Amino acid sequence: MKLTKIHSDDCEVCMSLGDSASTLAKENGFQYDKVDLEDLAQTHSPLRDYVVGVYVTPNDGMVDLPIYVLTTDKGEIQGSSVVTTLKEVENLIFAWNKWANSQKP
């Protein structure tokens, strides 16, 4: 699994969180990555299409940041959330882990 932070250099919440979620990712056995929103916008990818479809506000094109996305090793999106605190990142990971563990026989 991978935890990806989508951010922008002019996002105050993004800067305040920094890479603190990387520790949570590591503790849960996830890889950690960061993607700048501007770079993502210029790259045709399933992740970009997902962010546009789920997080871009219709009519004004705005996006709330940071967005944390959980993906499988194959790049399949499993969950995501706009967060304002590290606790919200922890909750995203916890919710996914709880769901994943419920899927095991």
Side-chain angles (χ1 to χ4, degrees):
M1 289 293 296
K2 181 191 287 187
L3 177 67
T4 301
K5 174 185 179 181
I6 300 171
H7 67 96
S8 176
D9 291 338
D10 61 354
C11 166
E12 290 183 28
V13 175
C14 300
M15 288 186 287
S16 70
L17 287 172
D19 286 334
S20 56
S22 65
T23 302
L24 289 174
K26 190 179 296 184
E27 289 171 354
N28 285 277
F30 296 173
Q31 297 174 24
Y32 179 76
D33 194 15
K34 301 186 295 185
V35 177
D36 185 88
L37 181 63
E38 187 175 323
D39 294 339
L40 181 65
Q42 296 175 18
T43 305
H44 294 285
S45 69
L47 181 57
R48 186 201 70 163
D49 294 344
Y50 176 80
V51 169
V52 169
V54 175
Y55 292 104
V56 173
T57 306
N59 301 323
D60 70 7
M62 298 301 292
V63 178
D64 289 329
L65 294 173
I67 302 168
Y68 284 84
V69 182
L70 293 171
T71 56
T72 65
D73 295 335
K74 295 179 181 179
E76 299 163 327
I77 296 167
Q78 301 294 298
S80 64
S81 184
V82 173
V83 304
T84 56
T85 66
L86 189 58
K87 182 66 176 173
E88 291 174 332
V89 178
E90 185 178 342
N91 289 342
L92 175 65
I93 293 171
F94 173 80
W96 186 87
N97 279 331
K98 188 171 185 173
W99 173 84
N101 289 332
S102 74
Q103 303 303 301
K104 295 178 181 174

